[in-house]
Amino acid sequence: MDRIRLGNEEFEGRNNAYVLADGDDLALVDTGIATPGVREDLRDGLAERGDAFADVDAIVLTHFHVDHAGLAGEIQAESDATVYVHEADAPLVEGDADAAAAVERRRRELLEEWGVPEDVRTELLEFLEAASHIEGEPADVTPIADGDVLEVGGRRLEAVHAPGHAAGLCCFELDGGREAVVGDALLPVYTPNVGGADVRVDRPLKRYLQTLERLAERDYDRVWPGHRDLIEDPTARAREIVDHHRERAGNVVDVLDEHGPADAWTVSEHLFGALEGIHILHGPGEAFAHLDHLRHEGAVTLEDGTYRLVTERVSPREIV
């Protein structure tokens, strides 16, 4: 398996596309954003192997986010490649108008529920509209589910559903063995956003913690992430991210303890300070994910968008 490094000025961290090949059987895992620079990166990376977009037989997407799926439709138009993605994300990759409208409605509802000021909401929505060109062309998708096995590029890929960051995020175990391509389920430097990255996910932190536990239990020797470099000890990395969220939960509790009842936006301000661009969504989304988890675990209550600590303070270690 070869890696093609892709630029990514819109989001943190360079993206990775992975090439699986066996003779004339050529597959890609993820494609990058639909921008001229990334398109050139991917074409050049394939050309170094003597390949082109037209030679791609299969595209396997870890999830629907544009920095992973943006060029899938364009490559498919040149090659007639089969595009695989989890059934939860398939409508968005296909460009289904109703699915996209539902996401937009839910995003607006949550921004209001989180207490994001109207002028800041407007700033975010203008940012998202200005960035709509990076979404790329829709693709004709073949939906997959947890446990499905794909035979592509001379390799056997088993789908391991890994929701949290996205509803349909999948890792792909290679050849039934000790390695996997993991998209944004595990990242080597920063932690994947939960809560804001996919507003469709119910109980996002709980879902992501379950994903981390599932990956830790599989105890891969190494994994290939959607951004940056190979992770040599993925089980330890999964545990580190759990620890990060335990610490973050403690920070959220501290905010409510020190500053009193608050909405998700106010908690986000205390945690992250001033935000701009996509972080206007990710910041309060992350705060919400933790507040929501704390609420379901009985550590906080919610009334009219305001969270408050219960009388007896609960240790985050007991619930994360």
Side-chain angles (χ1 to χ4, degrees):
M1 181 171 66
D2 294 332
R3 175 175 64 163
I4 299 176
R5 295 173 180 263
L6 306 174
N8 185 345
E9 296 181 359
E10 286 75 12
F11 302 100
E12 295 91 345
R14 297 174 64 87
N15 276 82
N16 296 317
Y18 296 101
V19 182
L20 310 175
D22 181 22
D24 293 333
D25 187 4
L26 180 66
L28 285 175
V29 181
D30 286 346
T31 67
I33 297 176
T35 60
V38 173
R39 185 180 295 109
E40 183 177 357
D41 288 342
L42 189 54
R43 286 192 186 276
D44 288 348
L46 287 171
E48 290 178 6
R49 299 175 39 85
D51 297 313
F53 281 6
D55 300 316
V56 177
D57 299 294
I59 300 169
V60 180
L61 299 175
T62 57
H63 59 300
F64 78 96
H65 286 155
V66 295
D67 55 333
H68 297 263
L71 287 169
E74 180 178 332
I75 297 170
Q76 185 182 58
E78 290 195 33
S79 65
D80 200 29
T82 303
V83 176
Y84 299 98
V85 71
H86 189 272
E87 57 194 358
D89 286 1
L92 295 174
V93 177
E94 289 178 325
D96 182 277
D98 291 339
V103 170
E104 177 63 19
R105 286 195 302 273
R106 183 60 179 152
R107 182 186 293 127
R108 290 174 181 267
E109 290 170 358
L110 285 174
L111 289 170
E112 185 171 353
E113 289 176 16
W114 295 342
V116 180
E118 185 174 358
D119 61 328
V120 181
R121 299 202 304 265
T122 299
E123 179 184 344
L124 171 65
L125 296 173
E126 288 176 349
F127 169 83
L128 294 173
E129 178 63 27
S132 61
H133 66 284
I134 68 177
E135 295 175 2
E137 299 298 322
D140 181 16
V141 166
T142 298
I144 59 174
D146 184 56
D148 283 354
V149 174
L150 307 177
E151 301 283 352
V152 298
R155 306 293 292 271
R156 180 186 187 275
L157 274 61
E158 179 179 344
V160 179
H161 191 209
H165 176 68
L169 199 156
C170 277
C171 304
F172 294 94
E173 188 174 288
L174 297 168
D175 303 322
R178 306 301 310 144
E179 298 186 3
V181 181
V182 295
D184 287 357
L186 286 179
L187 297 175
V189 178
Y190 52 92
T191 56
N193 180 261
V194 291
D198 188 350
V199 296
R200 301 173 302 155
V201 181
D202 181 48
R203 298 290 308 275
L205 182 56
K206 177 182 178 180
R207 299 286 180 261
Y208 186 48
L209 292 172
Q210 290 171 339
T211 282
L212 292 171
E213 184 60 31
R214 186 179 191 192
L215 295 178
E217 288 175 352
R218 294 177 96 91
D219 197 25
Y220 296 115
D221 291 336
R222 61 190 61 82
V223 299
W224 306 84
H227 301 264
R228 306 201 185 197
D229 296 324
L230 175 74
I231 301 174
E232 292 282 5
D233 190 348
T235 298
R237 180 57 182 153
R239 300 298 188 203
E240 285 177 1
I241 297 176
V242 171
D243 288 341
H244 161 82
H245 282 293
R246 186 174 290 122
E247 180 180 357
R248 173 69 44 84
N251 294 338
V252 170
V253 169
D254 288 343
V255 169
L256 296 179
D257 189 38
E258 295 173 15
H259 302 281
D263 56 29
W265 174 252
T266 301
V267 172
S268 172
E269 286 188 307
H270 286 292
L271 293 175
F272 309 119
L275 300 171
E276 59 182 20
I278 194 64
H279 299 292
I280 295 172
L281 177 61
H282 287 178
E286 185 89 14
F288 160 75
H290 280 82
L291 289 162
D292 175 70
H293 189 68
L294 290 166
R295 179 174 70 87
H296 279 91
E297 295 295 332
V300 304
T301 60
L302 171 64
E303 184 175 356
D304 297 328
T306 298
Y307 296 86
R308 68 179 65 240
L309 287 174
V310 296
T311 303
E312 183 177 349
R313 178 165 169 155
V314 178
S315 168
R317 181 163 290 277
E318 299 175 18
I319 57 180
V320 174

